[in-house]
């Protein structure tokens, strides 16, 4: 055998005869052509890391191998040994397992395919890996780590990362945001995490979508807090470019938007949706994701992006995500932090107006103008709120509805509150016929 590459393998078991199963796996590795087991660490007991159903303690260690097998072939050997030990594959996350063989390091290679990330993404957080490595005399601080999330700011760096993932057959999800992340953004990332092999969150306060008298400079920014949210949600890469990195000095191409951007936010914020469509198109072009995650909180934005993606032929699925609300019903928004306390209490008027219309709809009211009047009546009782609009639009493209009976409709509202540190505009919307709120 021409054993060429040094490999560190993580060994683990917390079900059945743990040490016998690990020994059996090592014996079969020794018998496998192309694999030499150089040395094995002592095994130690440890508790499950992370959440999972009640289960026994682990026995863990590491083994140093030399192999001529390429990484996918070595991975296949490990998976076959796990299956032979009686592990059910695909294994549910954090359930008890008879045998766990993790490819921790393969020479100095970085591998980032759907089935394999090397160096192992979280090895350095795990004492049950660090301790046996140290016991074999390995300087663990000199070993490479994979930062999760990895933060990149240059578009070419993001494009290079996604090119690797695409070559590795990964399904890529993207969650575009302007940062100052809250539980609504986090939910988008968690949905993306559950549906995709790799998740990109973008954090970019996009000047193109702010008007001259809007709050671009004052928009809340908190990259440190945002990175913690992204890490907790399992994001792989955070793309956080500067304005100059996103738009070079000669930048002059913009996406024009049509009917989807008319009325409501489009009427109140001229140029806003062109700015949104431009930055999102640019993100799609750089990252080439399979799935893009957007909140129904910004329902008109969602309609504009759906249209733009279709019209420009981006081969991705736009995934709508339900609105995440505070316990009192206020839709979460990065701008909520700027509400004074009296306005914060009054701000539930948006969701109260929507619920009132939905309640009427549930009891059989179908007339467009009477449904709108229900919502207006709720706003009229709240003097702190200045209403920008209350509209009833068709699902899913938000086209205007004529007077008369409505069927599948979404109500959209916007209002201003002016008594806090600065004026705050809030948006909300709700499907009248749809399922109960998330
Ligand atoms: P923003 O950072 O405000 O541009 O929002 C980024 C993404 O998060 C958009 O797709 C929003 O629609 C979505 N989003 C913001 N707030 C919420 C929320 N409360 N619930 C669900 N999605 C949200």
């Amino acid at each position: 055998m021409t054993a060429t590459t040094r490999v560190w393998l993580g060994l683990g078991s917390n079900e059945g005869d743990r040490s016998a199963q690990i020994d059996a796996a090592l014996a079969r590795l020794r018998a496998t052509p192309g694999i030499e087991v150089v040395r094995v660490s002592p095994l130690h007991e440890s508790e499950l890391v992370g959440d999972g159903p009640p289960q026994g303690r682990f026995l863990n260690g590491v083994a140093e191998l030399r192999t001529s097998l390429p990484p996918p072939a070595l991975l296949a050997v490990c998976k076959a040994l796990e299956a032979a030990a009686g592990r059910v594959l695909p294994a549910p996350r954090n359930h008890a397992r008879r045998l766990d063989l993790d490819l921790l390091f393969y020479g100095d290679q970085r591998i980032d395919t759907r089935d394999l990330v090397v160096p192992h993404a979280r090895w350095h957080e795990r004492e049950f890996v660090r301790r046996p490595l140290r016991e074999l005399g390995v300087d663990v601080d000199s070993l490479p780590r994979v930062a999760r999330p990895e933060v990149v700011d240059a578009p070419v760096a993001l494009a290079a990362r996604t090119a690797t993932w695409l070559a590795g057959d990964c399904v890529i999800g993207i969650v575009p945001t302007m940062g100052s992340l809250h539980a609504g953004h986090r939910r988008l990332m968690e949905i993306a995490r559950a549906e995709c092999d790799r998740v990109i969150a973008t954090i970019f306060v996009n000047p193109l979508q702010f008007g001259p008298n809007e709050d671009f400079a004052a928009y809340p920014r908190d990259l440190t807090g945002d990175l913690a949210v992204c890490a907790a949600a399992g994001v792989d890469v955070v793309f956080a470019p500067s304005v100059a990195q996103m738009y070079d000095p000669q930048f002059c191409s913009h996406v024009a938007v049509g009917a989807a951007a008319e009325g409501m936010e489009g009427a109140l914020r001229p140029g806003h949706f062109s700015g949104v469509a431009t930055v999102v198109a640019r993100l799609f072009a750089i990252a080439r994701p399979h799935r893009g995650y957007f909140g129904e909180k910004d329902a008109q934005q969602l309609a504009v992006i759906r249209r733009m993606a279709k019209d420009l032929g981006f081969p991705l699925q736009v995934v709508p995500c339900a609105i995440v609300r505070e316990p009192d019903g206020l839709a979460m928004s990065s701008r909520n932090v700027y509400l004074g306390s009296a306005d914060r209490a009054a701000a539930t008027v948006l969701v109260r107006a929507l619920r009132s219309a939905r309640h009427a709809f549930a009891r059989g009211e179908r007339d467009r103008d009477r449904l709108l009047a229900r919502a207006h009546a709720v706003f009229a009782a709240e003097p702190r709120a200045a209403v920008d609009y209350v509209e009833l639009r068709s699902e899913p493209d938000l086209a205007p509805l004529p007077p008369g009976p409505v069927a599948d409709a979404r109500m959209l509202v916007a209002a201003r509150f002016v008594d806090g540190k600065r004026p705050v505009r809030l948006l909300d919307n709700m499907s009248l016929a749809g399922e109960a709120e998330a």
Side-chain angles (χ1 to χ4, degrees), residues 250-413:
Q250 281 76 45
F251 182 91
C252 63
S253 305
H254 296 255
V255 177
V257 285
E262 283 168 11
M264 302 189 288
E265 294 305 297
L268 288 162
R269 305 183 66 186
H272 170 67
F273 284 126
S274 173
V276 170
T278 301
V279 75
V280 173
R282 182 145 165 64
L283 291 171
F284 287 172
I286 296 167
R288 293 185 286 157
H290 300 89
R291 299 167 76 84
Y293 293 82
F294 296 88
E296 285 182 343
K297 155 84 172 16
D298 300 285
Q300 193 178 11
Q301 168 174 289
L302 177 62
V304 167
I305 288 166
R306 274 192 170 126
R307 197 62 253 167
M308 178 277 288
K310 204 168 187 174
D311 291 346
L312 301 187
F314 284 106
L316 93 167
Q317 191 176 344
V318 173
V319 183
C321 303
I323 299 174
V324 178
R325 299 179 178 281
E326 300 286 357
D328 65 1
L330 177 67
M332 289 193 178
S333 162
S334 304
R335 293 183 169 101
N336 290 353
V337 294
Y338 291 132
L339 290 166
S341 61
D343 279 347
R344 170 64 189 80
T348 57
V349 67
L350 284 88
V351 68
R352 285 188 280 115
L354 295 169
R355 284 175 176 161
S356 170
R358 199 176 62 174
H359 188 63
F361 188 92
R363 288 205 322 242
E365 179 63 78
R366 291 291 180 274
D367 182 72
R368 185 196 75 169
D369 292 335
R370 282 202 292 273
L371 287 163
L372 290 170
R374 290 294 295 248
H376 275 294
V378 176
F379 277 113
E382 181 46 78
R384 304 190 80 87
V387 178
D388 277 337
Y389 56 80
V390 177
E391 295 236 9
L392 210 47
R393 297 286 186 110
S394 70
E395 290 274 46
D397 49 357
L398 303 185
L401 290 168
V406 300
D408 196 8
R410 182 169 289 267
M411 185 171 275
L412 303 96
V413 298

Side-chain angles (χ1 to χ4, degrees), residues 79-372:
K79 292 287 160 222
L81 290 179
E82 288 178 351
R87 181 169 177 184
V88 184
L89 294 171
R93 223 178 138 253
N94 283 353
H95 276 59
R97 69 239 15 213
R98 298 173 71 84
L99 182 65
D100 204 5
L101 298 179
D102 282 339
L103 244 174
L104 302 171
F105 302 98
Y106 186 98
D108 55 8
Q109 284 196 30
R110 264 198 78 148
I111 304 166
D112 203 350
T113 61
R114 196 183 57 188
D115 302 321
L116 190 57
V117 177
V118 173
H120 190 281
R122 287 170 305 280
W123 75 264
H124 52 92
E125 297 166 9
R126 296 179 169 176
E127 186 55 20
F128 64 79
V129 172
R130 300 172 67 100
R131 178 178 174 190
L133 283 170
R134 279 198 307 268
E135 285 173 338
L136 292 180
V138 177
D139 175 9
V140 289
D141 294 326
S142 69
L143 291 171
R145 299 173 180 195
V146 178
R148 276 289 190 277
E150 182 183 356
V151 183
V152 301
D153 59 7
V156 288
L158 180 63
R161 174 61 64 241
T162 60
T164 309
W165 291 342
L166 292 170
D169 216 14
C170 295
V171 172
I172 300 171
I174 192 165
V175 184
T177 82
M178 296 204 298
S180 200
L181 302 177
H182 51 65
H185 300 111
R186 178 166 170 173
R187 188 78 197 104
L188 266 53
M189 294 171 194
E190 288 168 347
I191 295 170
R193 177 75 281 161
E195 295 182 353
C196 304
D197 300 309
R198 296 293 184 275
V199 177
I200 302 164
T202 75
I203 297 176
F204 180 60
V205 185
N206 172 34
L208 297 188
Q209 70 190 70
F210 288 79
N213 300 317
E214 294 184 349
D215 58 348
F216 173 69
Y219 195 85
R221 291 161 168 88
D222 173 20
L223 187 59
T224 309
D226 290 348
L227 293 181
V229 174
C230 293
V235 166
D236 296 294
V237 164
V238 172
F239 178 53
S242 67
V243 172
Q245 284 172 307
M246 201 59 179
Y247 303 121
D248 75 41
Q250 281 76 45
F251 182 91
C252 63
S253 305
H254 296 255
V255 177
V257 285
E262 283 168 11
M264 302 189 288
E265 294 305 297
L268 288 162
R269 305 183 66 186
H272 170 67
F273 284 126
S274 173
V276 170
T278 301
V279 75
V280 173
R282 182 145 165 64
L283 291 171
F284 287 172
I286 296 167
R288 293 185 286 157
H290 300 89
R291 299 167 76 84
Y293 293 82
F294 296 88
E296 285 182 343
K297 155 84 172 16
D298 300 285
Q300 193 178 11
Q301 168 174 289
L302 177 62
V304 167
I305 288 166
R306 274 192 170 126
R307 197 62 253 167
M308 178 277 288
K310 204 168 187 174
D311 291 346
L312 301 187
F314 284 106
L316 93 167
Q317 191 176 344
V318 173
V319 183
C321 303
I323 299 174
V324 178
R325 299 179 178 281
E326 300 286 357
D328 65 1
L330 177 67
M332 289 193 178
S333 162
S334 304
R335 293 183 169 101
N336 290 353
V337 294
Y338 291 132
L339 290 166
S341 61
D343 279 347
R344 170 64 189 80
T348 57
V349 67
L350 284 88
V351 68
R352 285 188 280 115
L354 295 169
R355 284 175 176 161
S356 170
R358 199 176 62 174
H359 188 63
F361 188 92
R363 288 205 322 242
E365 179 63 78
R366 291 291 180 274
D367 182 72
R368 185 196 75 169
D369 292 335
R370 282 202 292 273
L371 287 163
L372 290 170

